[in-house]
Amino acid sequence: MAAHQFQARFEAGEIDKIFAGIDQCHLPGAAVGIAIDGVPVYRKGFGLANMELPAPLTSAMRMRIGSTTKHFTALAYMLLCEEGLASLDDTIGKYVPGLRAATRDATIHQLMGHTSGIRDAMAVTMLTNGVNLPVTDAQMIEYYRSIDSRDFEPGTHWSYNNGGYILLTAAIEKITGEPFATVLRKRILEPAGLYDTMLRPWDSDFVPNSAALHVPGANGEWTRTYMGMEISGAGGMVSTMDDMLSWMKQMDHPVVGSSETWRLMHEPHRLANGKSTGYGLGLMIGTYRGVPTIHHAGMVFGGNSQFIRVPEANLDISIAVNRGDLWAPAYANMIIDVCVEGLDPAFTSASSEKALGTFVSQSGQRVVSLFSVGNMHLMSVDGGQAVPITPVAEDVMHLDPTMDFMQQSARIDGDAIVFSEFGMEETLSAIKPVMDVSLGGHAGSYRADTIDAIITVSEEAGGARATIQGRYGRTDYKLEPITPDIWRIEQCVRASLAATVRFNVDGSGLSLNYPSGMRHISFVRVD
C-alpha cells in the first residue's frame, strides 16, 4: 500500500463557511488562527468578546486556553531537568511534604502522563464543595495528606487528572523558589516572544484585552458562571490565537527547551498491558482521518479551546470559543477536512438500534448508557456527561473523533456490551430501566473521612435529592435511579458534573464513582 501523501491547501472562503453560523454581532463566538508552513494565513474572530459591550472577538484578544496549559507546565519542569535540578523519575513526595503513600510515591513522569492512579483533588473539590468557591491550589493539595487510596495501580491505566498538575505546579515552585506565573513568564513566555500570554489563576479579577466567558442557560439566557477555584498549572493560562500560532511555529525549531526535551514531550506513555495512551507530557499524539496530529484541548466553564498541529501537512490551528455551547475541537477537525488533501474517508455511521440501553458491570461499579437524541448517538460512562459516539459497524461503537483520545468503545455481545478502555475489556449486562423507585432504606447520611465529606440523601416532594458537605463548602444534587441500588447523581448548579452512587445492599455505606479521578470512593453510614 502506498504511503499517505498529505498536503495543505487553503481557501479563506471555505473556512468562512465553517464559522458562518456564529458570524454575528449579538452573541459570543470564536477566535481562529491558521498557519501553513509557520505563516499565518487566517486570523479572524466571530461574535462578541463580551455581550455587554460592542467589542468583537479578534485573534489578538486574550482567551482562556484551559488544559492546553498542561504542556507549558510540563515544559517548565523539563527545563529544570535540563538544568540538573530535577528528574522525571523523582517522586512528588520529594517536593511536596506530608503526602500519604498513595500519592507520595507517584513519579513526576506518571503525573504528567495521567498514569499515576492518584485521586484527582480538583474533581474532589468540584464534587464536594461546589464549583464557585475560591479554593486555592494549596487547599486542594491538602486532600493528598489524607487520601490513602488510588483509582488504580500506577502505570496500569490512564485517567485524565487535573490534580496531578496541581502537584506538579507545587513541585516547580518548590524547586525554583518562585511563583509559577513568574517561572512561566521568565523561562518560557518572554524567551518565546509570547507577550500576550500569561497565567490567570482566577476568573474573578480583571485582565486587559480579555474576552469574557458565557454559559448558556436552559431558559435561553446567558450567565457568568465560572470556576471559582484556583486554576494554575492544570489549566490557568490565557493567550491569543496570534500568540498560539507563534508558539506552534517554534515547536519545530524550539526557542525554549532542547530537542531531547521536546522528543520526550511527544513520546506517549505505555501502560503495563503494552497499550499506548497516546499522551506524552501534556500533549496528545493521535491521528485524524489517517493524518498524524499533535494536540490538546482546554475546557473551562463558558468556553473551550483547541490547539492542534498536523505536521505532515505543515498545518497549525488554534481556536478558542467564549461560549459553552460550542466545541472548538469539532471546528478544528472541520478545518482539517477542508485544508488537508489525502485524508482517509470520514467514518460512515452504521445501524445501531440494538445498541441502545443501560448496561451495568457485575460489580455494579461501572455503568454505561447508550442512547440517541435525534440523529446523534451518545454514551455516558458512570453517570458522566454524554459524549458523541459513532456506530462504525452493526455491533461496534467508537467515540467521536474529537474524544477518541479517551480510547473507549462498546461492542454489542448478545444482550450485553463489552466496554473497552485502553485495551482493557469488561462485560456489562443490559438492565431494564427502573421508574418510581424510592430511596427507601438508603436515605440517610454517609461519610468519607479521606476526603472529609458527608453525603446526605433524602426523599423530597420533587424527587430524590442529595447534599454533599465538603471541607470547604457544600453543593446540592438531584438523584435518578438506574437500579434500586445504583443512582445517577447530578449537581443542580452544573448539570455537567455528575457521577453514580452505589448503595451497599446491607445499608452500611455507598461508593461514589466519578468518570474521571474519583473511582470507588467509599462512604460509611453515620446515622
Side-chain angles (χ1 to χ4, degrees), residues 279-319:
Y279 198 100
L281 307 182
L283 290 171
M284 296 180 181
I285 316 301
T287 59
Y288 173 70
R289 292 183 60 184
V291 66
T293 60
I294 303 165
H295 62 101
H296 206 301
M299 187 78 170
V300 295
F301 291 167
N304 54 81
S305 69
Q306 174 69 315
F307 134 99
I308 187 166
R309 310 196 69 213
V310 187
E312 293 190 20
N314 295 317
L315 174 68
D316 296 331
I317 303 166
S318 185
I319 301 175

Side-chain angles (χ1 to χ4, degrees), residues 139-388:
Q139 288 175 311
M140 284 186 271
I141 287 174
E142 280 298 313
Y143 281 114
Y144 293 118
R145 296 188 170 100
S146 60
I147 293 175
D148 58 1
S149 60
R150 302 185 181 104
D151 288 335
F152 50 84
E153 287 301 306
T156 63
H157 197 62
W158 185 92
S159 181
Y160 195 78
N161 193 315
N162 286 298
Y165 275 78
I166 294 173
L167 289 166
L168 178 59
T169 303
I172 292 168
E173 292 184 332
K174 175 68 172 178
I175 296 166
T176 62
E178 295 180 318
F180 182 60
T182 302
V183 175
L184 277 179
R185 177 176 55 79
K186 289 169 55 175
R187 295 173 179 261
I188 298 177
L189 302 180
E190 288 182 353
L194 307 183
Y195 297 111
D196 289 321
T197 303
M198 61 182 288
L199 186 72
R200 186 183 182 184
W202 305 94
D203 276 322
S204 55
D205 59 0
F206 295 97
V207 174
N209 189 39
S210 295
L213 299 170
H214 302 81
V215 177
N219 58 0
E221 297 181 353
W222 298 82
T223 69
R224 296 175 183 234
T225 303
Y226 55 80
M227 186 177 290
M229 67 196 68
E230 185 174 6
I231 40 175
S232 53
M237 290 176 67
V238 294
S239 186
T240 68
M241 300 308 98
D242 292 346
D243 264 12
M244 289 304 295
L245 291 183
S246 296
W247 176 243
M248 286 188 273
K249 180 179 180 179
Q250 77 86 40
M251 289 173 71
D252 288 328
H253 306 284
V255 175
V256 179
S258 68
S259 58
E260 175 62 11
T261 285
W262 281 100
R263 184 191 70 79
L264 291 170
M265 297 270 289
H266 289 84
E267 184 174 81
H269 289 224
R270 284 202 177 272
L271 300 178
N273 64 1
K275 183 76 171 177
S276 171
T277 66
Y279 198 100
L281 307 182
L283 290 171
M284 296 180 181
I285 316 301
T287 59
Y288 173 70
R289 292 183 60 184
V291 66
T293 60
I294 303 165
H295 62 101
H296 206 301
M299 187 78 170
V300 295
F301 291 167
N304 54 81
S305 69
Q306 174 69 315
F307 134 99
I308 187 166
R309 310 196 69 213
V310 187
E312 293 190 20
N314 295 317
L315 174 68
D316 296 331
I317 303 166
S318 185
I319 301 175
V321 303
N322 67 333
R323 50 190 282 184
D325 61 342
L326 303 180
W327 184 226
Y331 283 107
N333 285 354
M334 287 188 276
I335 292 172
I336 295 173
D337 290 340
V338 301
C339 285
V340 178
E341 296 178 347
L343 297 174
D344 288 345
F347 272 136
T348 55
S349 182
S351 172
S352 63
E353 288 301 317
K354 62 181 181 179
L356 305 182
T358 297
F359 305 83
V360 178
S361 64
Q362 185 174 2
S363 68
Q365 298 288 7
R366 171 128 281 173
V367 179
V368 174
S369 295
L370 303 172
F371 56 98
S372 61
V373 177
N375 294 324
M376 181 179 293
H377 302 281
L378 300 166
M379 178 172 71
S380 170
V381 178
D382 296 331
Q385 187 174 14
V387 296

Side-chain angles (χ1 to χ4, degrees), residues 20-41:
I22 56 172
D23 187 9
Q24 37 67 42
C25 58
H26 66 286
L27 292 173
V32 187
I34 304 172
I36 296 176
D37 294 325
V39 179
V41 296

